């Protein structure tokens, strides 16, 4: 049977490490504060935002919560971000996505001061990642690198295939695996012979957004499989983009859903908040 990569345990370990760092920062007089903005009350977003605030409380980071009405105008949101950009006591600004249709997400992301962009979504953060300079890295792909490293999985020299090319996961994932000296292929919905391409992977990262799409026909025997997807199946149970029961017996390591990649996103957000406070102290 494969190694089951325990994202819950690894994220707990990272959060405990961060808790110690926060205590040390506070001792030298550095305050830590994350501003969390949600517009509207999408139930999934409310769960994510609640978990982020809970993680802040656990680690010792203050969180400022802005729960704005669905009808909030773009100008009102931009003004709030500009105000938070100016505040010395705020280290990080997170605007939960998706935003209502009348608000331009790109413009919102661009308005966040890159030194407080703990989500790593600002074009400047993406640019620094691309050229290998310091900057905030998108939390889910950063978490996947930690999962691999802390599970003793070597990346250098490995064939890495990512299925999915989103700005939040696929593209930054490619850059991070490249930074770790992997040989990287980004596949997507228009890729020809997707099964053959995926089967080249020593490390296969799946972020397609389709429940249980990846069966063992896409996986080389002995590969490491990282599943970014999370869905509810017909019985209201959580499942990923990978058909776990079909794939697990043939791979060397695999992330479960839930309890794999998911918990890592929040741990890395906390890491970015601590880095932001340490850099700007
Ligand atoms: N919506 C879904 N995932 C994320 C995330 O990582 N950050 C933000 N801001 N919104 C999201």
């Amino acid at each position: 049977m494969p190694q089951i990569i325990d994202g819950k345990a690894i994220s707990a370990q990272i959060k405990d490490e961060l808790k110690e760092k926060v205590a040390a920062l506070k001792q030298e007089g550095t305050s830590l504060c994350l501003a969390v903005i949600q517009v509207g009350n999408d139930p999934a977003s409310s769960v994510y935002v609640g978990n982020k605030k809970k993680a802040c409380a656990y680690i010792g980071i203050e969180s400022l919560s802005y729960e704005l009405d669905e009808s909030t105008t773009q100008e009102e949101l931009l003004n709030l971000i500009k105000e938070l950009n100016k505040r010395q006591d705020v280290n990080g600004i997170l605007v939960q996505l998706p935003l209502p249709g009348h608000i331009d997400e790109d413009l919102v992301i661009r308005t966040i001061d890159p030194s407080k962009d703990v989500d790593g979504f600002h074009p400047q953060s993406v640019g620094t990642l691309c050229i290998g300079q310091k900057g905030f890295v998108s939390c889910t792909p950063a978490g996947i690198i930690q999962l691999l490293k802390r599970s003793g999985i070597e990346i250098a020299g490995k064939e890495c295939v990512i299925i999915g090319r989103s700005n939040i996961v696929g593209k930054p994932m490619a850059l991070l695996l490249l930074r770790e000296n992997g040989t990287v292929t980004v596949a997507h919905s228009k890729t020809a012979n997707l099964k053959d391409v995926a089967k080249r992977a020593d490390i296969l990262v799946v972020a397609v957004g389709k429940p249980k799409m990846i069966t063992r026909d896409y996986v080389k025997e002995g590969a490491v499989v990282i599943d970014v997807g999370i869905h509810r199946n017909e019985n209201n149970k959580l499942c990923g983009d990978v058909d776990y029961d079909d794939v697990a017996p043939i791979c060397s390591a695999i992330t479960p859903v839930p309890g794999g990649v998911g918990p890592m996103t929040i741990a890395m957000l906390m890491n970015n908040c601590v880095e932001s406070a340490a850099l700007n102290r």
Side-chain angles (χ1 to χ4, degrees), residues 45 48 52 94-98 119 121 139-140 168 265:
S45 288
Y48 292 136
K52 288 169 187 179
L94 181 140
V95 181
Q96 187 66 25
L97 304 178
D119 255 329
F121 294 167
C139 301
T140 300
I168 292 179
T265 301

